[in-house]
Amino acid sequence: DAGITQSPRYKITETGRQVTLMCHQTWSHSYMFWYRQDLGHGLRLIYYSAAADITDKGEVPDGYVVSRSKTENFPLTLESATRSQTSVYFCASSESRLFQETQYFGPGTRLLVL
Amino acid sequence: AQKITQTQPGMFVQEKEAVTLDCTYDTSDPSYGLFWYKQPSSGEMIFLIYQGSYDQQNATEGRYSLNFQKARKSANLVISASQLGDSAMYFCAMRVTQTGANNLFFGTGTRLTVIP
């Protein structure tokens, strides 16, 4: 049972480059989320998706693009990476939007933008 | 607006002792869920325990229990019989029904260190 996986686990890039972080889940969960974790801020929502081809912005969407052509995949793209996007990125999924539903997280991607 | 507050940046506990990690929340939504996650040094986020706003009893999962005081808007995590492997960051989070994103709102976390 793979659950939710992210790739790469570590990434170093340079300012201005495009970077795509991958997220794949095997549970067929409808909802998927991208969070970033920064010291002193906990986790903050970047984008989320309610189903294939349905995405929407979260709290900190600037500089990011998402797509969801298949239920199981939810890639996050940094179109032109900036140093402020150095962070740990977590993908999560849940079966529904109900408040009772637990969100399960992938292992995270550590991104360093030089 | 939803807000989670964790006022303890760091806590220490002796091995085999119990420890309480504080969490207070703020929301105007009557329906919400409260979650605790553990983040060990390896970095993954591990779900520990859940409490619903309508639940009458405090949630328990093995050595974890949630001290839910609705009137005080607090949802403290109690870890009994601490083990060295409990050393980690602990995050309190809340999920409500009314926001469009329906995401989790996180506190800033508490770093727990278990002393042998």
Side-chain angles (χ1 to χ4, degrees), chain B residues 48-102:
Chain B
L48 294 178
I49 194 167
Y50 160 81
Q51 179 84 43
S53 58
Y54 298 115
D55 293 342
Q56 296 296 314
Q57 293 190 329
N58 288 340
T60 60
E61 288 287 349
R63 294 186 299 109
Y64 304 107
S65 61
L66 205 153
N67 184 0
F68 182 45
Q69 299 190 40
K70 198 169 182 178
R72 294 185 177 183
K73 293 191 173 181
S74 72
N76 299 337
L77 177 70
V78 180
I79 305 174
S80 63
S82 296
Q83 303 172 355
L84 295 178
D86 294 334
S87 292
M89 281 288 288
Y90 289 82
F91 290 94
C92 180
M94 176 172 61
R95 193 175 190 186
V96 300
T97 54
Q98 292 188 354
T99 59
N102 196 238

Side-chain angles (χ1 to χ4, degrees), chain A residues 9 31 33 35 37 40-43 45 48 57 90 94 96-107 110, chain B residues 31-33 35 37 39 42-45 47 50 53-54 91 95-97 99-104 106-108:
Chain A
R9 295 292 313 278
Y31 277 75
F33 307 82
Y35 294 87
Q37 182 180 24
H41 287 281
L43 278 73
L45 182 69
Y48 74 101
K57 297 177 181 179
F90 286 98
S94 69
S96 76
R97 70 183 308 276
L98 295 176
F99 70 86
Q100 304 95 317
E101 289 288 345
T102 300
Q103 288 188 19
Y104 294 97
F105 285 78
R110 291 182 178 273
Chain B
S31 304
Y32 52 88
F35 301 80
Y37 288 84
Q39 186 177 42
S42 52
E44 69 269 32
M45 295 289 286
F47 164 69
Y50 160 81
S53 58
Y54 298 115
F91 290 94
R95 193 175 190 186
V96 300
T97 54
T99 59
N102 196 238
N103 54 294
L104 284 166
F106 282 85
T108 52

Side-chain angles (χ1 to χ4, degrees), chain A residues 39-59:
Chain A
L39 198 62
H41 287 281
L43 278 73
R44 293 179 293 174
L45 182 69
I46 305 171
Y47 268 94
Y48 74 101
S49 169
D53 297 322
I54 301 175
T55 63
D56 207 346
K57 297 177 181 179
E59 181 183 354

Side-chain angles (χ1 to χ4, degrees), chain A residues 53-83:
Chain A
D53 297 322
I54 301 175
T55 63
D56 207 346
K57 297 177 181 179
E59 181 183 354
V60 288
D62 292 345
Y64 303 95
V65 173
V66 293
S67 62
R68 195 169 176 202
S69 58
K70 293 183 178 181
T71 299
E72 60 267 29
N73 296 324
F74 190 38
L76 174 74
T77 297
L78 288 65
E79 293 187 298
S80 178
T82 65
R83 289 180 181 170

